[in-house]
């Protein structure tokens, strides 16, 4: 699939680099130095972006298993109550005809993390294997992923609030379980994965005239 | 291409080769380890799946119903499925991993449901948590498929405490969980019961809590405390029940003999007795009763009033002539069981003495044991009837001879001053049948009261006054009234001798006989004044009734007897402090009943006291304080009423011609004072003439003179007012005018008020032709002021003139002189003349209505007049 994108040159090709914090333009030679305006460290590409992103994503995927298999919280009322997994809770909500809340939890807790992991995997694969297709759409996807990622913490916040509030002794009390921890770590890791991913790498690969090996090597340094 | 760095010095980048993988790859590694560990741990925590087959899925719920072991959740039903045979369900249960050791052969599962009963609530937790499955581990090889029991398995005998087996004939109201009580305290429970191997008995397994295990010894006796045990027959109702819980849920009680020193031998088999009594222990004594004796199981055995045992079982002999009773006697009563001991059953009777002890009524009569003195013996033959004469263990035995038994019976009390001091122990006819011999026993501490001259009487029958008073104040003696008893007293003579056993006495019929009409009560009577009163009839007097002086009891009526002249002589005893009150001036009257009188001042009801109202009494008072002290046995007259008794004047008889009615009780008035009272009215003829008997008071004595006049005052209403208005209410009375002649006791009454009366003041007579408007009570005016009145009028002896009797008030009597002129001012004086016109004159309205007389007295020549002086009454005012 051909991208009908206009010809352009990256800043690096022109010998510039942009401070990512205050967007002051610097010379490429200031790589690794501090921005003379805001003091941020200057990199033309996020160092080790690909490794960090991959590692975080992998860890997230691994922890996603216990996050969903283990119970995230236990709600006990009058001595009765069971530890609930995320999926169990959603099913419970749906059984209770609380469709809307069930859907919200389902989206926030299952769909979004899964989609995020998939999206990150696609993006990382694009860079890793220098795929040239649908680059623009992938960038849009990244933006969505980055924006929506924070909503995955909804569950954790709810559990945190409930555990703090519902402590009525024998009448009702809620306690968090291991699954919640795992889930929180999954969300954090996916966010970190998205954060460490440098979208510019997508476009670096696109330039056929630029030796990709060089830029890759520089990236890795 | 120009670059910005062209301006700067070329920088040679120092390239550091990074060897090996980045540190960041530790992150997924770590995550993998954590995830792996969590998953592995989760897997390890996963339980063991077992299958338990239930008859029904009722109460089972997948994902909810738990399996509990000793209160700990050890598993949960994962799913339920109906088996192919459609007759049972299988629950797939996920058990905790730790539970693997108890999932073996013999492990039993059952569903626990809440059980609420009066003996307790079981499985209360299931109310909140839902039903759960309880398990009891068995022993054997590991196993994952079970069949659930329908009912809870018997608890494991693995607790601290004591496990016992009882053998019982019936498991009546014993159930699992029924409590075991010791002195009504819960000390354990029934854990299981079932038939013994040979199916002949019930084996009941008990668990006794550790703190109570020492209560059980080999001699412990258990009985079924379940339910309400009601044993009733005609003479006996036995209601026994344990605690409410035991009633409903059943229960077992036990007791251990207190001085028991034996210890519990392991595997000792206890017997569960049917009830408390069956469990009791004692010495077995066999007694043969006549076949018809109404003993029954449980009949008590009593010796000297103490229960010492009971009938355990009864068996009729083969010839149907004897009833073999097996008695259980308290071991402590063993010394009583000797040869010579006698057993008998008093005839059941319902009498008022028994009512004193309601327990007797309920418990029925008891077998009585009279201990003997010989060798120990355990087989006896009962007596048919109580022994008439049995030696008392303690106390004084006396023998009373009587010509009849009266209402005496076994156990009738012997009373001394109304206190039971002994009882009748038996009676029999003497050998020739002429007398009844009554045997009585006086309690040891009262034996000294009986002397050789003691006199006994039968305190039976009606003469003992079952009157209101007796019931109210002497209910203790009520039983002897109805049930009979013996009273005795000992005259206080100096030659008293104490008596030995079996002393014979005579039994008198009543106290009067025994005490010779009270004469033998020396000491009681010693300081009392005995006097007699004579009455026409006894009235409601009873002996023992009080003698009252100013409503204060000062003595009692001792007894009474008929005198030769048909009157009744009542003997009174006046207590020592009041002896001086009785003098020859004393007047006695019957104070019984109510004395009501009606007079101008209203209705007066008088009764001496409530007591006399109920049981009669005699009151007395003294006419004067200067009487001579009464002597012993002085005879007085008993009047019927107080007023009669205290009457001081003589009795007179007045015969009234026919006229207004007069009734008994009417008073005789003179100047508004009561002078006497009509005691009796006797009709003399058909016209209505009546002879009245009047009792005069002390002041009234002046009426008993020649010349006294009596007339009946009846209400008369006329224009000028009402005469004797009080008689309208109180009835007619008698007015009297005392005479001044000799003493006279018989009079003839006037048909109406006398015209001429000796009134206070000046009494004069006016003579006139016509009575005119003048009437009795017409006023006499002097200068318009009333100074007197017309007290009466009558025709002169020759019938030509009218005599007016005028009374002038004494302070105005001087106004009347011999020169006084009287004229009639009654009516209207009207004059009519052509030139004068009409002139109407009246003195005043009163004289207009009832007439009036005016007089004037010239001031000179004043000669006073005396009563009886006669004047002429002018028709009109004289010209002066």
């Amino acid at each position: 699939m051909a991208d009908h994108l206009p010809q352009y040159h990256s800043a690096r090709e022109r010998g510039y680099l942009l401070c990512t914090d205050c967007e002051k333009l610097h010379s490429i030679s200031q790589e690794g130095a501090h921005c003379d305006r805001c003091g941020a460290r200057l990199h033309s590409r996020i160092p080790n972006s690909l490794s960090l992103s991959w590692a975080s994503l992998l860890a997230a995927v691994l922890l996603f298993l216990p996050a969903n298999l283990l119970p995230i919280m236990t709600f006990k009322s009058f001595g009765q109550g069971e530890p609930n997994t995320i999926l169990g809770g959603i099913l419970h909500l749906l059984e209770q005809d609380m469709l809307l809340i069930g859907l919200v939890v389902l989206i926030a807790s299952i769909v979004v993390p899964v989609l995020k992991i998939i999206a990150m995997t696609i993006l990382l694969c694009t860079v890793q294997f220098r795929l040239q297709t649908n680059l623009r759409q992938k960038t849009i996807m990244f933006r969505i992923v980055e924006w929506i990622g924070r909503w995955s913490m909804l569950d954790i916040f709810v559990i945190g609030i409930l555990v703090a509030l519902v402590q009525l002794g024998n009448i009702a009390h809620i306690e968090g379980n291991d699954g919640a921890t795992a889930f929180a770590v999954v969300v954090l890791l996916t966010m970190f994965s998205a954060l460490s991913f440098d979208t510019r790498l997508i476009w670096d690969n696109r330039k056929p005239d630029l030796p990709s090996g060089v830029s890759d090597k520089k990236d890795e340094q | 291409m120009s670059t910005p760095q062209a301006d700067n010095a070329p920088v040679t980048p120092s390239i550091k080769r990074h060897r090996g993988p980045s540190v960041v790859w530790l992150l997924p590694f770590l995550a993998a380890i954590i995830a792996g560990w969590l998953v592995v741990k989760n897997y390890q925590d996963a339980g063991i799946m077992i299958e338990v087959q239930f008859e029904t899925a009722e109460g089972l719920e997948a994902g909810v119903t738990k399996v509990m072991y000793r209160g700990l959740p050890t598993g949960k039903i994962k799913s339920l499925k109906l088996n192919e045979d459609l007759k049972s369900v299988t629950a797939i249960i996920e058990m905790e991993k730790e539970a693997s050791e108890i999932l073996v052969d013999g492990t039993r599962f059952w569903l626990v449901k809440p059980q609420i009963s009066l003996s307790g609530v079981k499985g209360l937790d299931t109310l909140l948590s839902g039903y759960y499955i309880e398990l009891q581990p068995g022993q054997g090889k590991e196993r994952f498929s079970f069949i659930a029991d329908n009912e809870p398995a018997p608890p494991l005998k693995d607790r601290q405490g004591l496990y016992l087996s009882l053998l019982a004939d019936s498991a009546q109201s014993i159930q699992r969980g029924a409590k075991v009580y010791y002195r009504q305290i819960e000390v354990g429970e029934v854990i299981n019961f079932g038939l013994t191997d040979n199916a002949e008995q019930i084996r009941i397994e008990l668990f006794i809590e550790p703190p109570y295990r020492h209560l059980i010894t080999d001699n412990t006796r258990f009985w079924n405390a379940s339910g309400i045990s009601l044993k009733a027959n005609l003479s006996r109702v036995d209601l026994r029940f344990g605690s409410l819980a035991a009633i409903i849920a059943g229960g077992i009680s036990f007791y251990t003999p207190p001085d028991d020193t034996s210890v519990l031998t392991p595997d000792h088999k206890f017997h569960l007795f049917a009830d408390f009594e069956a469990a009791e222990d004692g010495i077995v004594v066999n007694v043969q009763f006549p076949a018809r004796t109404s003993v029954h199981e449980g009949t008590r055995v009593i010796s000297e009033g103490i229960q010492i045992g009971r009938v355990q079982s009864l068996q009729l002999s083969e010839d149907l002539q004897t009833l073999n009773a097996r008695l259980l006697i308290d071991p402590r009563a063993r010394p009583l069981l000797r040869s010579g001991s006698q057993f008998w059953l008093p005839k059941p009777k319902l009498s008022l003495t028994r009512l004193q002890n309601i327990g007797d009524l309920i418990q029925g009569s008891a077998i009585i044991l009279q201990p003997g003195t010989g060798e120990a013996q355990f087989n006896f033959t009962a007596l048919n009837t109580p022994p008439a004469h049995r030696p008392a263990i303690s106390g004084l035995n006396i023998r009373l001879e009587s010509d009849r038994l009266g209402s005496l019976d076994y156990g009738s009390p012997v009373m001394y001053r109304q206190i039971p001091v002994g009882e009748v122990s038996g009676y029999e006819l003497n050998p020739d049948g002429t007398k009844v011999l009554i045997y009585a026993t006086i309690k040891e501490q009262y034996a000294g009261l009986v002397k050789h001259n003691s006199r006994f009487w039968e305190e039976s029958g009606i003469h003992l006054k079952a009157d209101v008073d007796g019931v109210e104040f002497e209910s203790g003696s009520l039983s002897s009234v109805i049930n009979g008893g013996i009273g005795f007293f000992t005259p206080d003579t100096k030659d008293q001798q104490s008596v030995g056993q079996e002393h014979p006495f005579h039994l008198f019929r009543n106290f009067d006989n025994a005490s010779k009409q009270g004469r033998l009560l020396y000491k009681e009577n010693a300081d009392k004044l005995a006097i007699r009163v004579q009455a026409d009839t006894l009235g409601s007097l009873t002996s023992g009734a009080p003698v009252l002086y100013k409503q204060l009891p000062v003595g009692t009526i001792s007894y009474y007897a008929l005198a030769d002249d048909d009157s009744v002589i009542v003997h009174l005893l006046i207590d020592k402090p009041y002896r001086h009150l009785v003098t020859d001036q004393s007047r006695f009257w019957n104070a019984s009943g109510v004395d009501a009188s009606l007079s101008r001042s209203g209705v007066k009801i008088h009764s001496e006291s409530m007591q006399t109202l109920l049981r009669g009494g005699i009151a007395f008072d003294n006419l004067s304080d200067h009487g001579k002290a009464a002597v012993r046995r002085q005879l007085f007259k008993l009047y019927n009423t107080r007023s009669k008794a205290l009457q001081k004047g003589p009795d007179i008889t007045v015969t009234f011609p026919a006229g207004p009615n007069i009734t008994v009780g009417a008073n005789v008035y003179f100047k508004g004072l009561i002078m006497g009272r009509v005691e009796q009215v006797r009709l003399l003829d058909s016209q209505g003439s009546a002879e009245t008997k009047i009792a005069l008071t002390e002041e009234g004595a002046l009426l008993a003179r020649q010349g006294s006049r009596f007339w009946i005052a009846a209400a008369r209403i006329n224009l000028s007012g009402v005469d004797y208005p009080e008689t309208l209410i109180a009835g007619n009375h008698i007015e009297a005018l005392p005479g001044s002649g000799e003493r006279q006791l018989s009079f003839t009454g006037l048909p109406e008020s006398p015209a001429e009366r000796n009134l206070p003041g000046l009494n004069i007579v006016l003579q006139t032709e016509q009575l005119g408007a003048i009437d009795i009570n017409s006023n006499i005016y002097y200068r318009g002021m009333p100074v007197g009145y017309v007290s009466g009028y009558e025709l002169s002896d020759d019938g030509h003139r009218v005599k007016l009797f005028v009374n002038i008030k004494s302070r105005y009597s001087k106004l009347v002189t011999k020169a006084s002129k009287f004229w009639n001012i009654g009516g209207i004086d009207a004059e009519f003349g052509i030139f004068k016109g009409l002139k109407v004159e009246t003195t005043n309205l009163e004289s207009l209505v009832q007439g009036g007389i005016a007089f004037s007295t010239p001031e000179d020549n004043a000669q006073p007049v005396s009563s009886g002086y006669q004047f002429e009454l002018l028709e009109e005012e004289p010209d002066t």
Side-chain angles (χ1 to χ4, degrees):
Chain A
M1 280 201 284
D3 275 324
H4 304 288
L5 295 172
Q7 279 296 318
Y8 65 89
H9 298 279
S10 69
R12 188 155 63 167
E13 287 164 13
R14 303 288 174 130
Y16 297 103
L17 62 81
L18 195 67
C19 170
T20 49
D21 286 4
C22 69
E23 303 196 342
K24 184 174 188 292
L25 205 59
H26 292 86
S27 159
I28 192 83
S29 59
Q30 284 181 286
E31 174 79 33
H34 291 278
C35 169
D36 33 347
R37 185 161 72 184
C38 72
R41 194 172 275 268
L42 297 173
H43 292 291
S44 79
R45 295 294 179 265
I46 297 173
N48 295 325
S49 166
L50 219 47
S51 298
L52 281 173
S53 202
W54 269 121
S56 304
L57 190 65
L58 199 58
V61 168
L62 286 173
L63 284 175
F64 193 67
L65 287 175
N68 277 288
L69 292 178
L70 297 183
I72 55 165
M73 71 170 186
T74 308
F75 172 66
K76 276 197 175 176
S77 176
F78 295 109
Q80 256 186 301
E82 293 298 313
N84 274 313
T85 58
I86 295 171
L87 211 56
I90 292 163
L91 288 176
H92 189 69
L93 286 171
L94 293 179
E95 271 174 21
Q96 304 272 316
D97 278 345
M98 291 192 275
L99 207 61
L100 197 69
I101 301 176
L103 281 178
V104 167
V105 177
L106 178 70
I107 290 167
S109 308
I110 307 281
V111 177
V112 170
V114 169
L115 283 181
K116 211 158 116 182
I117 287 169
I118 293 170
M120 284 310 296
T121 311
I122 292 170
L123 286 171
L124 284 169
C125 284
T126 306
V127 175
Q128 190 78 58
F129 302 112
R130 301 163 199 258
L131 302 177
Q132 300 294 324
T133 49
N134 298 331
L135 294 182
R136 204 171 180 125
Q137 285 163 22
K138 283 170 185 165
T139 313
I140 294 168
M141 184 172 73
F142 177 78
R143 287 197 197 109
I144 293 172
V145 164
E146 197 176 29
W147 179 82
I148 210 167
R150 67 198 73 167
W151 292 102
S152 298
M153 287 303 265
L154 191 69
D155 268 19
I156 302 303
F157 291 148
V158 168
I159 291 170
I161 290 169
L162 286 181
V163 166
L165 285 184
V166 186
Q167 292 292 349
L168 305 179
N170 236 351
I171 298 170
H173 82 272
I174 291 176
E175 60 191 37
N177 291 113
D178 293 345
T181 317
F183 186 78
V185 174
V186 168
V187 175
L188 286 174
L189 284 173
T190 50
M191 284 171 74
F192 186 68
S193 175
L195 203 65
S196 18
F197 183 70
D198 200 332
T199 44
R200 287 173 290 194
L201 293 175
I202 295 172
W203 308 108
D204 287 347
N205 293 338
R206 189 177 169 262
K207 299 284 285 184
D209 52 327
L210 199 82
S212 57
V214 173
S215 68
D216 276 356
K217 260 183 189 163
K218 282 207 168 183
D219 272 326
E220 282 173 13
Q221 283 164 4
Chain B
M1 286 205 292
S2 70
T3 59
Q5 64 246 64
D7 303 334
N8 302 334
V11 177
T12 312
S14 58
I15 297 164
K16 290 177 188 164
R17 295 297 295 179
H18 182 82
R19 296 176 200 284
S22 166
V23 182
V24 81
W25 287 104
L26 278 176
L27 194 62
F29 184 66
L30 205 61
I33 289 172
I34 290 171
W37 176 69
L38 285 176
V39 170
V40 166
K41 183 181 138 202
N42 212 25
Y43 172 75
Q44 281 179 339
D45 286 350
I48 306 156
M49 303 305 272
I50 59 168
E51 287 185 353
V52 179
Q53 187 176 321
F54 287 89
E55 272 194 2
T56 164
E58 182 197 344
L60 302 177
E61 205 176 334
V64 172
T65 309
K66 287 178 189 165
V67 179
M68 311 282 270
Y69 174 58
R70 290 182 185 270
L72 200 69
T74 50
K76 191 201 278 184
I77 293 186
K78 280 285 156 191
S79 63
L80 288 164
K81 66 176 186 192
L82 193 63
N83 293 341
E84 289 88 344
D85 59 359
L86 301 179
K87 282 179 182 169
S88 57
V89 292
T90 297
I92 316 291
I93 298 175
E94 180 188 354
M95 297 294 289
E96 301 276 344
K97 220 172 155 54
E98 295 82 358
S100 64
E101 283 179 25
I102 56 177
L103 299 173
V104 289
D105 269 349
T107 298
R108 307 168 81 162
F109 291 82
W110 68 93
L111 187 65
V112 177
K113 300 172 183 176
Q115 284 180 343
I116 300 177
S117 63
L118 276 172
S119 66
V121 179
K122 283 178 204 150
L124 181 66
D125 43 352
T126 62
L127 286 180
L128 283 178
S129 62
Y131 298 171
Y132 59 85
I133 297 164
E134 179 87 56
L135 79 80
Q136 189 184 82
Q139 280 180 331
K141 285 193 287 183
E142 196 172 48
R143 183 174 168 164
F144 299 109
S145 173
F146 303 91
I147 295 177
D149 289 354
N150 280 333
E151 57 180 20
L156 290 176
K157 295 184 179 181
D158 58 354
R159 289 160 70 191
Q160 288 272 312
L162 188 59
Y163 290 91
L164 293 174
S165 292
L166 304 184
L167 292 176
D169 295 332
S170 106
Q172 179 200 10
S173 65
I174 295 291
Q175 52 177 301
R176 209 176 266 176
K179 300 302 179 196
V180 178
Y181 298 95
Y182 179 73
R183 297 177 192 277
Q184 308 291 329
I185 292 176
E186 225 180 278
V187 297
E189 64 176 13
V190 174
I191 53 175
N192 198 13
F193 67 99
L195 285 174
T196 50
D197 297 338
N198 56 10
E200 280 181 347
Q201 281 189 305
I202 309 286
R203 179 203 297 274
I204 299 169
E205 309 269 348
L206 300 186
F207 171 72
I208 305 293
E209 302 279 349
Y212 306 109
R213 57 180 304 163
H214 67 277
L215 296 174
I216 313 281
T217 69
D218 276 359
N219 290 330
T220 300
R221 299 175 82 85
F222 292 85
W223 72 91
N224 192 333
S226 311
I228 301 171
S229 133
L230 177 70
K231 288 182 183 173
N233 53 39
L234 268 179
S235 66
R236 179 185 167 86
V237 177
D238 188 355
L239 181 66
R240 206 186 276 280
F241 46 85
S243 71
L244 200 57
I247 289 174
I248 308 292
I252 289 175
S253 288
F254 67 87
Y255 84 94
T256 302
D259 48 357
D260 182 46
T261 51
S262 65
V263 290
L264 180 67
T265 50
D267 294 330
H268 184 85
K269 287 276 183 285
F270 294 95
H271 187 260
L272 178 67
F273 294 91
D275 55 30
F276 169 71
E277 288 183 345
E280 268 189 307
D281 204 359
I283 303 168
V284 174
V285 175
N286 291 307
V287 179
Q288 288 188 328
F289 283 92
R292 284 184 175 176
T293 314
S294 68
V295 290
H296 43 79
E297 283 184 20
T299 298
R300 296 169 302 149
V301 180
I302 282 179
S303 181
E304 301 295 315
I306 300 164
Q307 179 174 354
I308 56 167
R310 64 191 172 81
V311 176
Q312 191 192 32
S313 63
L314 290 167
Q315 199 174 13
L316 205 58
S317 67
E318 288 176 5
D319 58 358
L320 304 178
Q321 292 300 307
T322 53
L323 194 62
N324 295 322
R326 188 180 149 99
L327 310 185
L328 275 184
I329 304 293
D330 191 317
R332 288 169 294 181
R334 190 187 191 96
L336 302 179
L337 302 168
R338 296 175 179 279
S339 65
S341 294
Q342 291 171 319
F343 288 86
W344 72 91
L345 183 77
K347 287 202 178 73
K349 59 177 181 179
L350 187 64
S351 68
L352 275 170
T353 17
R354 299 276 161 178
L355 268 182
Q356 287 175 337
N357 186 356
I358 291 175
D360 267 1
L361 192 66
I362 294 169
Q363 291 176 314
S365 49
I367 296 171
I368 293 179
L369 163 63
Q370 172 77 47
T373 51
E375 299 290 308
Q377 185 181 336
F378 299 106
N379 287 300
F380 299 92
T381 302
L383 301 176
N384 275 348
T385 54
H389 177 212
R390 50 182 160 123
I393 292 177
S394 62
L396 175 68
N397 293 298
I398 53 171
R399 197 173 74 219
L400 299 165
E401 288 178 5
S402 174
D403 50 355
R404 54 166 205 170
L405 182 60
S407 56
L408 296 176
D409 203 348
Y410 295 99
S412 291
V414 177
M415 321 259 271
Y416 182 75
R417 295 177 187 273
Q418 308 262 313
I419 295 173
V421 296
E423 62 174 33
V424 173
S425 57
Y427 51 80
E428 63 185 2
L429 278 177
N430 70 348
D432 57 0
T434 53
K435 281 194 183 298
V436 177
L437 298 179
I438 298 164
Y439 299 94
T441 304
I442 309 293
K443 289 179 199 159
E444 189 105 55
Q445 71 260 42
Y446 299 116
L449 297 172
V450 180
K451 302 291 184 188
H452 81 286
N453 60 345
S454 292
R455 295 177 81 91
F456 292 79
W457 72 92
E458 191 187 320
E459 267 209 349
S460 315
I462 305 162
H463 81 269
L464 250 162
K465 306 181 292 285
D467 56 12
V468 183
D469 191 41
V471 173
E472 195 168 349
F473 300 109
E474 295 172 337
S475 59
S477 69
L478 183 64
S479 66
S480 68
V481 170
I482 295 163
N483 193 52
I486 291 175
F488 75 94
F489 77 99
T490 301
D492 309 288
T493 53
K494 286 177 182 164
D495 56 341
Q496 283 178 348
Q497 298 162 12
S498 54
V499 295
Q501 299 282 354
E502 302 295 327
H503 192 87
F505 290 96
H506 183 73
L507 182 66
F508 291 92
R509 288 286 283 276
N510 53 40
F511 174 69
D512 282 359
N513 289 347
S515 64
K516 289 187 180 168
Q517 306 294 335
R519 268 166 278 165
L520 293 177
L521 298 169
Y522 303 118
K523 194 170 185 178
E524 283 179 38
N525 298 350
D527 51 354
K528 290 183 179 172
L529 176 65
I531 51 170
R532 298 174 299 158
V533 292
Q534 188 173 27
D536 294 338
T537 61
L538 186 59
S540 58
L541 294 177
T542 54
S543 75
V547 176
L548 302 168
Y549 178 74
K550 296 184 190 296
Q551 308 214 358
L552 188 77
V554 297
T556 53
I557 296 175
S558 151
Y559 64 100
Y560 40 81
L562 210 58
D564 298 335
D565 60 350
D566 222 25
S567 63
V568 177
I569 303 287
V570 182
H571 294 253
L572 309 182
L573 288 174
I574 306 298
D575 294 342
K576 189 180 181 186
Y578 308 110
R579 293 178 65 140
H580 64 281
L581 294 174
V582 184
T583 66
D584 57 355
Q585 292 289 311
S586 296
R587 294 294 179 89
F588 292 81
W589 68 90
N590 190 333
S592 315
V594 181
D595 181 13
S597 64
L598 189 64
S599 67
R600 259 180 294 188
S601 50
V603 181
K604 193 169 137 198
I605 295 177
H606 179 82
S607 125
E608 291 293 339
S609 72
M610 198 63 186
Q611 203 184 357
T612 61
L613 194 65
L614 293 173
R615 60 183 293 193
I618 287 177
F620 73 94
D621 207 342
N622 291 328
L623 290 179
S624 74
D625 294 338
H626 308 296
K628 213 170 70 185
V631 298
R632 193 175 135 71
R633 293 181 65 75
Q634 186 166 350
L635 186 63
F636 293 88
K637 180 170 165 48
L638 182 67
Y639 295 91
N640 282 334
T641 63
R642 177 176 192 269
S643 53
K644 184 76 180 133
L646 296 180
Q647 171 198 339
K648 291 175 181 171
D651 285 352
I652 56 170
T653 310
V654 181
T655 309
F656 286 102
N661 299 331
I662 192 73
T663 52
V664 172
N667 287 325
V668 177
Y669 289 98
F670 171 60
K671 290 180 177 295
L673 288 174
I674 294 174
M675 288 289 146
R677 191 163 171 272
V678 175
E679 289 287 310
Q680 198 182 359
V681 179
R682 204 150 60 87
L683 202 62
L684 290 180
D685 54 32
S686 60
Q687 299 296 313
S689 335
E691 183 190 85
T692 59
K693 196 174 165 190
I694 295 172
L696 296 178
T697 61
E698 191 173 15
E699 303 93 332
L702 59 91
L703 290 176
R705 286 170 175 275
Q706 201 176 12
S708 291
R709 285 168 294 173
F710 300 88
W711 68 95
I712 295 170
R716 197 166 62 127
I717 301 172
N718 54 30
L719 264 180
S720 58
V722 181
D723 290 345
Y724 307 120
E726 70 273 15
T727 61
L728 282 176
I729 295 166
N732 297 341
H733 63 253
I734 293 174
E735 289 280 339
L737 275 178
S740 52
E742 294 296 305
R743 185 176 164 87
Q744 184 182 341
L745 295 178
S746 182
F747 300 87
T748 302
L750 304 176
E752 55 187 2
S753 307
E756 186 182 2
R757 281 185 263 169
N758 190 17
L759 296 171
L762 180 66
N763 294 299
I764 55 173
V765 181
L766 303 181
Q767 295 198 359
T768 180
E769 303 273 335
Q770 288 286 330
L771 183 61
I774 295 184
D775 200 353
I776 289 173
N777 289 343
S778 290
N779 281 331
I780 311 298
Y781 295 95
Y782 181 75
R783 297 182 193 278
M785 196 178 118
V787 296
Y789 69 102
V790 176
S791 63
Y793 48 81
E794 64 180 19
L795 276 178
S796 66
D797 297 336
D798 56 3
H800 291 151
R801 297 175 73 84
V802 177
K803 287 163 87 171
L804 295 173
F805 298 96
V806 169
N807 176 259
I808 307 292
K809 291 175 191 165
S810 57
R811 73 184 131 131
Y812 301 119
S813 60
K814 283 180 188 158
L815 297 175
V816 181
T817 65
K818 285 183 175 168
S820 296
K821 302 274 187 209
F822 292 81
W823 67 92
N824 191 340
I825 57 165
I828 299 167
D829 185 9
E831 263 182 53
F832 180 73
I834 298 170
F835 303 105
K836 283 197 277 187
L838 182 65
K839 182 186 170 197
V840 179
E841 226 175 58
T842 70
T843 27
N844 58 30
L845 191 62
E846 196 181 354
S847 65
L848 181 68
V849 172
Q850 65 176 42
I853 293 169
F855 73 94
S856 64
T857 303
E859 287 176 6
D860 54 345
N861 194 18
Q863 288 182 24
V865 296
S866 59
S867 284
Y869 195 84
Q870 300 204 350
F871 292 90
E872 189 72 19
L873 179 64
L874 307 173
E875 277 307 308
E876 54 189 41
E877 187 176 357
D879 298 330
T880 47

